[in-house]
Amino acid sequence: MSLQPLDDRIVVRPSEAEETTASGLVIPDTAKEKPQQGEVLAVGPGRRAENTGELIPLDIAVGDKVVYSKYGGTEITVDGEDLLILTSRDVLAKVSK
Amino acid sequence: MSLQPLDDRIVVRPSEAEETTASGLVIPDTAKEKPQQGEVLAVGPGRRAENTGELIPLDIAVGDKVVYSKYGGTEITVDGEDLLILTSRDVLAKVSK
Amino acid sequence: MSLQPLDDRIVVRPSEAEETTASGLVIPDTAKEKPQQGEVLAVGPGRRAENTGELIPLDIAVGDKVVYSKYGGTEITVDGEDLLILTSRDVLAKVSK
Amino acid sequence: MSLQPLDDRIVVRPSEAEETTASGLVIPDTAKEKPQQGEVLAVGPGRRAENTGELIPLDIAVGDKVVYSKYGGTEITVDGEDLLILTSRDVLAKVSK
Amino acid sequence: MSLQPLDDRIVVRPSEAEETTASGLVIPDTAKEKPQQGEVLAVGPGRRAENTGELIPLDIAVGDKVVYSKYGGTEITVDGEDLLILTSRDVLAKVSK
Amino acid sequence: MSLQPLDDRIVVRPSEAEETTASGLVIPDTAKEKPQQGEVLAVGPGRRAENTGELIPLDIAVGDKVVYSKYGGTEITVDGEDLLILTSRDVLAKVSK
Amino acid sequence: MSLQPLDDRIVVRPSEAEETTASGLVIPDTAKEKPQQGEVLAVGPGRRAENTGELIPLDIAVGDKVVYSKYGGTEITVDGEDLLILTSRDVLAKVSK
């Protein structure tokens, strides 16, 4: 079973806490907004422009590692795996090595 | 009797809790936003662009299985069946197998 | 005496509770948003597009049976009959048999 | 002395309560939003479109009988007569006989 | 010293209470929104359209007598005279005799 | 060191209280919104139109004396001098003599 | 590891408090909004225009020294260094010497 997000939503598999630390990205406990890291599993077609209804494609692709704001997403369990459905606006940055 | 939704609204038949679990989609009890799964029975013509009034058609079709946010919809009983009227913005993702 | 609604407003005659049940549409008492059913008596010319001022006509016609959200409308008594003035955005769906 | 309303505002002379009842329009005491009836004495040139600044003329004319929401208007006394300055959006419907 | 208002702001010299009554315009003490009357001393160039940045000129000219909502303006004393800086949206109507 | 404001922001050097009184502009203590006077030291390129991203230049120039709303700005100390960063929307009027 | 911000977000390395004072920029303790100074390490491609989806490039470049509002950003630790992800709207001004 798979999820195809709508609009500008994406499906993200959150990184394990250990993996996050190993990759050099550490989320301080005291941060008010707690960003988290994960891998993008699926992306929606993009949101539609208010005026014309044309699709504005996302700058995020399947396989991207992203840092995202923890708030706003929806937790969902698919085939026993804990995933997140976010909107692209919850994504702060892409991570490369 | 049938319902023809207006604008970007859709009519959804919620999945039974048992069916949901069987298909591998489990909604954790602790999720703040509780998504749910259902089947689309009817779709509206789409919302109109603010500027021009042109219809922006929906990316959702009759027969789609969708995951939707539980909040925002309106419960309605048609011919003894419990249905939901949602706006398309309440739909997070389409589910395929 | 008759009412000609402005903008995207409509005038609705609410169905009797008995009639509602007979037609198969039942509004559960526990629903947070309580939709109701009625018949459209008059429709406004439509709202004007923000940018151009052009009229965007309504998808609702006189004689339509509609399901509408109970909130937002204004109760009015015309020639001894209790009617509602709604905006078209309060209308969730059209009902056909 | 006379008032020339700006933008989409109008000047309304509220009907006497007795007159209101005689014409068949009764405002129930229990209505949450209390609409009222009156005669339009003056209309503004219309509001300007957000994008272009062009005037969007009003669908209301001097002499119209209108039903309006009681809230949002400003009471003013001109030459000893109690009048209301409303925006056109406070007007729900025009009344004809 | 003089003030040149920006955008759609205007400078108004409020009428004396006595003058107001003499001209036939009386503001009831019980009005929730208290409109006031004054003379326009200076007008800004107009606000700029959101989309294009073009100026939308004001429908108010120097010398106009206006009725305005008391709220939203800023009191300022210029050369010992108490004036008000309002936006044009605070002006309800122009007064003529 | 100098500041180059972004968007429609400006840098203002607030007038001394004495200077303010001398120039005839007195801010009453009882005003709810307290406007203040100052000199413009730097102006941003302007804000970008929502639709097109084109720059809308400011109506404010370096050297202008302006009256501004005290709220909304950010105090900053540059080379020992107390300055304010405002957006152009906080400026009510330009002052000339 | 590096961060590539999305939309109009930027990555900033906050200046040390000592460095800030040395450069002549002092943030008073009593300021309601506390601006801070930092160096821009990465910039996003810009936000997309609401209507067309076209990119509006940022007026901020890598290497710029910026003054920014402390609120709204997200703290993140990359390779042991404390950085901030801001949107360009949190940046008040660029600093030059």
Side-chain angles (χ1 to χ4, degrees):
Chain A
M1 197 188 84
S2 70
L3 293 173
Q4 173 56 35
L6 292 183
D7 301 334
D8 66 341
R9 289 190 186 87
I10 64 174
V11 178
V12 169
R13 176 193 290 131
S15 301
E16 300 294 326
E18 290 78 6
E19 178 186 338
T20 303
T21 308
S23 71
L25 186 77
V26 180
I27 312 306
D29 289 342
T30 61
K32 281 193 302 187
E33 267 201 50
K34 302 176 197 163
Q36 290 190 328
Q37 193 175 354
E39 181 185 357
V40 178
L41 298 187
V43 298
R47 71 176 178 84
R48 291 181 176 277
E50 284 293 315
N51 286 11
T52 63
E54 287 179 35
L55 277 176
I56 302 173
L58 297 185
D59 293 326
I60 303 169
V62 171
D64 281 351
K65 306 282 187 180
V66 292
V67 176
Y68 55 89
S69 169
K70 192 178 152 187
Y71 303 107
T74 303
E75 300 177 2
I76 196 169
T77 301
V78 176
D79 296 337
E81 187 174 32
D82 290 335
L83 303 179
L84 273 174
I85 301 177
L86 305 170
T87 75
S88 65
R89 279 158 289 190
D90 292 323
V91 177
L92 302 173
K94 290 189 273 194
V95 181
S96 58
K97 295 190 183 178
Chain B
M1 198 189 81
S2 69
L3 293 173
Q4 175 57 35
L6 291 183
D7 301 332
D8 66 341
R9 290 192 185 85
I10 63 175
V11 178
V12 169
R13 176 193 291 131
S15 300
E16 300 293 327
E18 290 79 7
E19 179 186 337
T20 303
T21 307
S23 70
L25 186 76
V26 180
I27 312 305
D29 289 344
T30 61
K32 282 193 301 187
E33 266 201 51
K34 303 177 195 164
Q36 290 191 327
Q37 194 174 355
E39 182 185 356
V40 178
L41 298 188
V43 298
R47 70 175 179 86
R48 290 182 176 276
E50 284 293 315
N51 286 12
T52 64
E54 288 179 34
L55 278 175
I56 303 173
L58 297 185
D59 292 326
I60 304 169
V62 171
D64 281 351
K65 307 281 189 180
V66 292
V67 177
Y68 55 89
S69 169
K70 191 178 153 187
Y71 302 106
T74 303
E75 300 177 3
I76 196 169
T77 302
V78 176
D79 296 337
E81 187 175 31
D82 290 335
L83 303 178
L84 273 174
I85 301 177
L86 305 171
T87 75
S88 65
R89 279 158 290 191
D90 293 323
V91 177
L92 301 173
K94 291 189 272 195
V95 181
S96 57
K97 295 190 183 178
Chain C
M1 197 189 80
S2 70
L3 292 173
Q4 174 57 34
L6 291 183
D7 300 332
D8 65 343
R9 291 191 184 84
I10 63 175
V11 177
V12 169
R13 177 192 292 129
S15 300
E16 301 293 328
E18 289 78 8
E19 178 186 337
T20 303
T21 308
S23 70
L25 185 77
V26 180
I27 312 304
D29 290 341
T30 61
K32 281 192 301 185
E33 266 200 52
K34 302 177 195 162
Q36 290 190 329
Q37 193 175 356
E39 181 185 357
V40 177
L41 297 188
V43 298
R47 70 174 179 87
R48 290 182 177 275
E50 284 292 315
N51 287 11
T52 64
E54 287 179 35
L55 278 175
I56 303 173
L58 297 185
D59 293 326
I60 304 169
V62 171
D64 281 352
K65 307 281 188 181
V66 293
V67 176
Y68 55 89
S69 171
K70 191 178 152 187
Y71 303 106
T74 302
E75 299 177 3
I76 196 168
T77 303
V78 176
D79 296 337
E81 185 175 33
D82 291 335
L83 302 179
L84 272 174
I85 302 177
L86 305 171
T87 75
S88 64
R89 279 158 290 192
D90 292 322
V91 177
L92 302 173
K94 290 189 273 194
V95 181
S96 58
K97 295 191 183 178
Chain D
M1 197 189 81
S2 70
L3 292 174
Q4 173 57 34
L6 291 184
D7 300 333
D8 65 342
R9 292 190 182 85
I10 64 175
V11 178
V12 169
R13 177 193 291 130
S15 301
E16 300 293 327
E18 290 78 6
E19 177 186 338
T20 303
T21 309
S23 70
L25 185 76
V26 181
I27 312 305
D29 290 340
T30 61
K32 281 192 301 184
E33 266 201 51
K34 301 175 195 162
Q36 290 190 329
Q37 193 175 355
E39 182 184 357
V40 177
L41 298 187
V43 299
R47 71 174 178 86
R48 292 182 177 274
E50 285 292 315
N51 286 11
T52 64
E54 287 180 34
L55 278 175
I56 303 173
L58 297 185
D59 292 327
I60 304 168
V62 171
D64 281 352
K65 307 280 188 182
V66 293
V67 176
Y68 54 89
S69 170
K70 191 178 152 187
Y71 302 107
T74 302
E75 299 177 2
I76 196 168
T77 302
V78 176
D79 296 337
E81 186 174 33
D82 290 335
L83 302 179
L84 272 175
I85 301 177
L86 305 171
T87 75
S88 65
R89 279 158 288 192
D90 292 322
V91 177
L92 302 172
K94 289 190 274 194
V95 181
S96 57
K97 295 188 183 180
Chain E
M1 198 188 83
S2 70
L3 293 173
Q4 173 57 34
L6 291 184
D7 299 335
D8 65 341
R9 291 190 183 88
I10 64 174
V11 178
V12 169
R13 177 192 292 132
S15 301
E16 301 293 327
E18 289 78 4
E19 178 185 338
T20 303
T21 308
S23 70
L25 185 75
V26 181
I27 312 305
D29 290 341
T30 61
K32 280 193 302 186
E33 266 201 53
K34 301 174 197 163
Q36 291 189 327
Q37 193 175 356
E39 182 185 357
V40 177
L41 299 188
V43 299
R47 71 175 178 85
R48 292 182 175 276
E50 285 293 314
N51 286 12
T52 63
E54 287 180 33
L55 278 174
I56 303 173
L58 298 185
D59 292 327
I60 304 169
V62 171
D64 281 352
K65 306 281 189 183
V66 293
V67 177
Y68 54 89
S69 170
K70 190 179 153 187
Y71 302 107
T74 303
E75 299 177 2
I76 195 167
T77 302
V78 177
D79 296 337
E81 187 174 33
D82 290 335
L83 303 179
L84 272 174
I85 301 177
L86 305 170
T87 76
S88 64
R89 280 158 288 191
D90 292 323
V91 177
L92 301 172
K94 289 189 274 194
V95 181
S96 56
K97 296 188 181 180
Chain F
M1 197 188 84
S2 70
L3 292 174
Q4 174 56 36
L6 291 183
D7 300 335
D8 66 342
R9 291 190 184 88
I10 64 173
V11 177
V12 169
R13 176 193 292 131
S15 299
E16 301 293 326
E18 288 79 4
E19 178 186 337
T20 303
T21 307
S23 70
L25 185 76
V26 180
I27 311 306
D29 290 341
T30 61
K32 280 191 303 185
E33 266 201 53
K34 303 175 196 164
Q36 291 189 327
Q37 193 174 354
E39 181 185 357
V40 178
L41 298 188
V43 298
R47 69 175 180 84
R48 292 182 175 276
E50 284 293 314
N51 286 12
T52 63
E54 287 180 34
L55 277 175
I56 304 173
L58 297 185
D59 292 327
I60 304 168
V62 172
D64 281 352
K65 307 281 187 181
V66 293
V67 176
Y68 55 88
S69 170
K70 190 178 152 187
Y71 303 107
T74 303
E75 300 177 1
I76 195 168
T77 302
V78 176
D79 296 337
E81 188 175 32
D82 290 335
L83 303 179
L84 272 174
I85 301 177
L86 305 170
T87 75
S88 64
R89 279 158 289 190
D90 293 323
V91 176
L92 301 173
K94 288 188 275 194
V95 181
S96 56
K97 296 190 182 180
Chain G
M1 197 188 83
S2 70
L3 293 173
Q4 173 56 36
L6 292 183
D7 301 334
D8 66 343
R9 289 190 186 88
I10 63 173
V11 178
V12 169
R13 175 193 291 130
S15 301
E16 300 294 326
E18 288 79 6
E19 178 185 337
T20 302
T21 307
S23 71
L25 184 77
V26 180
I27 311 306
D29 290 342
T30 61
K32 281 192 303 186
E33 267 200 50
K34 302 176 197 163
Q36 291 189 327
Q37 193 175 355
E39 181 185 355
V40 178
L41 298 188
V43 299
R47 71 175 180 85
R48 292 181 175 276
E50 285 294 314
N51 286 12
T52 64
E54 287 180 35
L55 277 175
I56 302 173
L58 297 185
D59 293 327
I60 303 169
V62 171
D64 281 352
K65 307 280 187 180
V66 293
V67 176
Y68 54 90
S69 169
K70 191 178 152 186
Y71 303 107
T74 303
E75 299 177 2
I76 196 169
T77 300
V78 176
D79 296 337
E81 188 174 32
D82 290 335
L83 303 179
L84 273 174
I85 301 177
L86 305 170
T87 75
S88 65
R89 278 158 289 190
D90 292 323
V91 177
L92 301 173
K94 289 189 274 193
V95 181
S96 56
K97 295 191 183 179

